[in-house]
Amino acid sequence: METAALVAPFTALEFLQDAFLLTGEGPVLSGFYLHPRPKACASLSVLQHHRIHGIRPRRQTAVTPQRAAAAKVKEGDELSSPSEPELHDLAVFGGKAVRLVRFHVDPQDGKQPHFEILGPLMELRDWALDVHWLAGDKRSLLCVAVAHNSALLLDSDTGNVLFQRSCLEGCLLYSALLLVHKSWSDVVLVGGTVFNQLVLWRPGVGATESVDPELKAPVERRLVGHSGVIFSIAYLQEKGWLASASDDRSVRVWGVGALGGPEGKCGELNPACLRVLYGHQARVFSVRLCPGSVFSAGEDGACLVWDWAGGGTVVCTLKGHRAGGVRALAVSDGVGDGDRWVATGGADGGLRLWRVKLNERGKDKLEDTTTATLTDMKFTGNGSPKVVCMVGEQDKYAGWSQSKLIVCTDQGTVDQYSDGKWQMVWKGTPEFQSYCLMETTTISLKDSTAKMHLCAVGNLSGSIQVFPISHPQCGVLLTGGTGKIHSLIWQETKDCICLLASGSEGLVFRWLIGVQSDENSPPSLSVTPLPSFLLPRGAKRWLTAAVRLHSSTHGGLWVCGDRRGSLLLFQDGGTQEQKMVDDRRVDGCLLTGRKHTHTGEVEESGPGGDIKSERKEVADLLLQPLSCLFGVHGKLGVTSVSEYQGLLYSTGRDGCVRVFRVLRVAPQKLEEESDGKSRENKGGLQLEVLRVQRACKGMEWLERVLILELDSPAEEEEEEGEEDDLGKRFENHYKTNHLVGKLEVIEVREGKETFKGQEENTENNGREARFAIIGFHAVHFVVWDPVRQEKLLAVPCGGGHRSWRLWPSHKGVWPGYGALFFVKQGAVMASQPPGEASSWARKEGRYKGWSLREGVHGRGIGCVCRLGAITAIDDVKEVEREEERWEIVATGGEDTSLTVLAMRPSCGRVKVLSVITDHISSVRTVTAVTRPEEGREDKSLSVLLVSAGGRAQMQCYRLLVGWDRRGLVPSCQVIQVASHRLDEQWERRRNRHKTVKMDPETRYMSVVAVDEKTDGCLLAVGCSDGAVRLFSVSEVKHQIDLLWETFYHQRCVLSVAACSLQDRKCNKYKLLFSAATDGKIAVWDLTDASSLWTVASSRSQTAAIPCFTIQAHQSGVNSLAIRADQLGHHEGGCRVTVASGGDDGQLTVSMIRVQYPKDPQMSEPLVSLLTLHLDSQCRIPLAHASPVTAVKLLSPNIVVSTSSDQRVCLWKVRSTDIRHIGALCCHVADAAGLAVWEGKLTEEDKNKQTGFESEWENAIRRGSQTGLKVTHQTAAKFNLDQKTNNEGDDGEHVKAVSETGDPVCQSGNEKGGETPAECRHQRGTDGLGETESEVNPVRGVMAPCQSQEEGGKTGWVLVCGQGFQLLRVPKAEGWRST
């Protein structure tokens, strides 16, 4: 087995001269360029099965003349031109292992940076906590601090321990810091003990050959104050500060004075605690010191920057990881213009990088955009501000000062803030006092690049004043009925601007507004009335949001939201109705033909005026909605509707974002109106909700969504053009998200969905984008990322019910920064002072940083399911690129999220396609029903995905996976089908307080699809309350129903599995296997299960007792794997192989023979017609050293098992026994989920070289000189003897592994005269692949070498736990034999 992809927590980070970032992920050492923009450059697995916990560089003293000359030329340049030596020697350590690695950096030669292993793996007898080089010795000596408060002096050339010294206080250390000068006698060790103390001692005191090594060194200093164990220690020499991070959620800074140096100084006799920093919400894992600042990171997923001069206050919070916390932190030294890099590695497998600016005083200049401060804009106009708007250029480099702030007061005036001053722009008549609405927009002038800002103001009497802000005297007065104007909405159309005014009695009036202007005359407005919308009848009958779509086949379509919470679909020229009103009301709804000056005086417009007057027959037409989703956002109303890439997004005050689309259906009749006549939907268009996304707990008042910019290094290369492109496709007004979008109508025809759209690539449309949610959470205005579950911006504005504007937002994209303007208690407030340019708005130092690796799950992954594979499409040749094959999997975790991933095994690249956060508890099990589309088996996937877990909750989704030609990666659209909870019926009862509620802690432990139909499937679920339940899923009805349940087990049911049988007469039978904590496996005959879907009283139609039981384990059965094989014609029936793994660490394989009935009687559902008996049973009592968590069948006779002992084992099942044929120590802790499959072997896989170690790399390079035991766990493959597969004549299994299941590389050179280099690059008959590394610049981890197989297929194993690892299993000839 060999590793193809790895995602694990980052546990080590280190900067190299502000030019490179080194990372440790499992045993893999990776390097990243920092300039000109961060990207991966090299990677190599160096520590075998140990996890890297530290990287210590040793800077080379020798520099070539060319490099020295280049350094002089580049002196004073920016960080983008650092002077680097050609190579760096690194000491990499973790667990009980240390290894030397050389990092080659040859930028002048144009070579790719790469790693080289210098020596064998040096294994220690204790855990290494810190390693440092001794600079004063000519030899390569390492000083190592180990966990039992000891220090080692290690010769890295020979691997011999030269000296070992222990402290007199022999306690266990959780952290250690070595302060090394030139010699062993100068070393000072600072240890964080298990007793919550810091101890300082000198391991080199009296370090001579005559000194007894058993003599222990005394404690020199003791620092007491923490109430928890100490996880991290840092020292700043120039200040004499020592910082410690603890389990008690605090960081303490101590004034210890000078430590280390010549003669090993131990600082002051009585060190004082200078600061106690509390700010983290959980344990603090890492701490780093800089002049004037302290950096700390912890389990709460935040990196806090503390200002020392400000009394230890938090000046910035850097967030970017999901749940699980930050496991590694690194801060660069800072050179050149004072920039400083900050890197964090998370438990979610994510890696983020920030660039910190320093001001002239040396303090970190970081603006905490998460919690903004407020500035009063000092409004000086008449009256009290009621509405605030913003128009003008929105340049991120200049701040918002170039924009214009527009305010409408209760005195009917419009004031403008520009150049630091307030001035009145327009004053209305008394009708505009007390109550007024205002909305602004920007329109481009015809035949000109100039733009003009328009303002519309409405009042209680139905009047609407529209005027240019620069020329308010040129405005026009419109009338929208005789009642109150509830809302005003500007909407851009193809050629001009459309104004919507929601009046009384559900009427929405529309006008097209045009601007004509030349240099010699003031601008003039042209107005063209359009047919009005008629909203459905209801108590709150006015419009709150609207967006216009354009379709070449349907003309203009409008999607609107009203105050009742409904979503409506209108069509220009669609369903119409004549007004049944008198002439007085009709005339009141028309254009009055009057102009208003900026002083409020009214002027009548003559025949030659600029106002285009349309007649009554045009304005009398009313448009009714084609489709209505009544009250989907609750009674508090819809707040916004927007469109992006063919999908629609709506928000409301119910705390939900709904993603929906326009669906074309067959013509149908609408509801009958009051006149008794039915209306027909001639357009055949409907709105269909795809899925619902909730915000964080307590955030119910949502305002809108903003598309999140892509921030991966590969995508940032085209960031400037990308941002403009996003803006063009998402242009909208600030509040109502108005834009002109391209509609992608879905046509339903004979049960199949086909995408229709514009002439451009429709594959890129109809896919959900990542978005941020903005709204109000208590008294804060919040920008919330639902995927990372973090606040991007928080402003204490006082809560909802106020007018506000967010800058910048004209493009509908969240750029990573923003400023909020709002009205509070009669004042205009801003979260950013005027004229201040945001330093975090600049690309080089923006607040959101760079995401070098996207995180997956913050906590453990409990289940995994493979959905299928798709092949990349060549956009030029329109053909599939077979060498670029992506595997699609779904994972569920303890962080309550469900993630859809795409993995490319040939290069190890992993792409997160979608993150679903609908579960309220952990996701424990997931299953899928895949139906490849006809003729598109390798191009797209359509999957019905079911997930279940805690709180007896089940979710069902339809996933549409295709190829994104724009991003050149797979894409996924999630459609929410249905959800179900057992306690839903109880919560609906009126007298529920008088009844006993079902167990609220019931968990769904395992789920499997028993039967499937075109519109749904039948599911079997194992539950923690001892029940086995059957559910039906209907995609048409969008519901999940409980059909049947049994409490036969009376214990927690841990696992369920199903298989389908078919006799020679084509009669089908279905068996369900369930296993509980008592070690028994029950077999249920569900042959008549299909009748449960149609029979109303279905609970009595299936037997309440199983037809067969097996005692397989002594305790709980965690996993089941089932496979059915037909027997010979003369034997009849079939044989079912049941592989199970349990808490007792045992692997059991049971062979069950099933006899079919000669004359099936389907009319007797309570009696099983199948005859089952146990044919044979094989056990491996100690298959793993801990409970077996997952078992799968890779082929008919190959079983794959995994356990929390971090081993993945291969077993060969024969007719009489089970043989162990291989094992691999994986890099995933707490392995819980397993997925296996057989796949194709592409040409790219065959030709790819490996970046993981071979056996020859770990051979002893210096023979008997080394005093350490050198072992090797092969990460490439297991070289098994031919007899292992074909079995020897005597039937004995040939051992190819050690007692622990791991191959051992002996300490000797079998070839005698070979040099270590020759061993490293050996290409003998051992079948090992090439060992030279080839970098994947996207993934940053090497792809494995592939064996030269002729079969064209290979096996794949995906192990999930604290991360995941994809393993390739070479398909041996022995697989096929039974």
Side-chain angles (χ1 to χ4, degrees), residues 1038-1081:
H1038 294 280
Q1039 66 183 25
I1040 300 176
D1041 296 320
L1042 175 62
L1043 303 180
W1044 173 80
E1045 63 182 0
T1046 178
F1047 290 87
Y1048 166 80
H1049 286 281
Q1050 296 294 316
R1051 294 172 179 84
C1052 176
V1053 182
L1054 296 175
S1055 180
V1056 294
C1059 70
S1060 299
L1061 310 177
Q1062 183 173 336
D1063 60 14
R1064 300 186 182 278
K1065 298 180 181 179
C1066 297
N1067 295 317
K1068 295 183 178 180
Y1069 307 88
K1070 297 184 183 299
L1071 295 179
L1072 174 66
F1073 297 78
S1074 62
T1077 55
D1078 58 356
K1080 290 183 180 180
I1081 301 176

Side-chain angles (χ1 to χ4, degrees), residues 153 257 488 529 560 1175 1198:
L153 183 60
L488 293 173
C560 304
D1175 205 2
I1198 297 296

Side-chain angles (χ1 to χ4, degrees), residues 547-560 568-572 626-627 641-649 659-665 683-688 690 728-729 739-747 754-767:
V547 60
R548 186 181 187 276
L549 308 173
H550 177 73
S551 174
S552 58
T553 57
H554 296 84
L557 293 176
W558 293 78
V559 179
C560 304
L568 310 169
L569 176 65
F570 292 92
Q571 180 181 1
D572 287 330
L626 301 179
S627 176
V641 180
S642 57
E643 189 267 352
Y644 183 72
Q645 290 187 352
L647 290 182
L648 294 152
Y649 303 82
V659 183
F660 60 103
R661 63 185 177 184
V662 179
L663 187 73
R664 182 189 303 163
V665 296
L685 299 177
Q686 284 188 358
L687 299 177
E688 180 189 36
L690 301 181
K728 291 179 181 178
R729 288 181 279 111
L739 74 160
V740 182
K742 293 184 178 179
L743 176 65
E744 184 176 332
V745 179
I746 310 299
E747 180 180 4
T754 57
F755 289 86
K756 303 290 183 181
Q758 297 296 318
E759 298 176 356
E760 53 185 342
N761 295 334
T762 58
E763 288 84 350
N764 297 335
N765 293 331
R767 303 296 180 185

Side-chain angles (χ1 to χ4, degrees), residues 1072-1208:
L1072 174 66
F1073 297 78
S1074 62
T1077 55
D1078 58 356
K1080 290 183 180 180
I1081 301 176
V1083 186
W1084 308 80
D1085 185 1
L1086 297 183
T1087 302
D1088 61 337
S1090 59
S1091 62
L1092 298 178
W1093 292 19
T1094 56
V1095 179
S1097 59
S1098 56
R1099 301 197 180 192
S1100 62
Q1101 298 298 317
T1102 302
I1105 59 175
C1107 60
F1108 191 70
T1109 59
I1110 309 170
Q1111 184 67 45
H1113 295 268
Q1114 300 177 6
S1115 55
V1117 182
N1118 293 321
S1119 181
L1120 291 174
I1122 311 296
R1123 188 180 183 95
D1125 299 304
Q1126 294 290 342
L1127 297 177
H1129 181 72
H1130 61 284
E1131 298 182 15
C1134 70
R1135 182 176 60 192
V1136 179
T1137 303
V1138 182
S1140 58
D1143 285 337
D1144 53 4
Q1146 177 176 287
L1147 175 66
T1148 303
V1149 177
S1150 305
M1151 301 291 184
I1152 302 176
R1153 178 164 297 193
V1154 180
Q1155 295 292 337
Y1156 300 124
K1158 296 182 179 180
D1159 187 15
Q1161 300 292 330
M1162 296 300 180
S1163 61
E1164 301 180 12
L1166 297 180
V1167 179
S1168 176
L1169 301 179
L1170 299 175
T1171 303
L1172 290 80
H1173 67 274
L1174 185 61
D1175 205 2
S1176 64
Q1177 192 175 60
C1178 303
R1179 294 185 175 94
I1180 303 294
L1182 296 177
H1184 287 270
S1186 57
V1188 180
T1189 54
V1191 172
K1192 296 293 182 182
L1193 284 167
L1194 181 58
S1195 68
N1197 63 328
I1198 297 296
V1199 177
V1200 184
S1201 65
T1202 189
S1203 168
S1204 54
D1205 63 0
Q1206 293 190 227
R1207 288 199 307 157
V1208 179

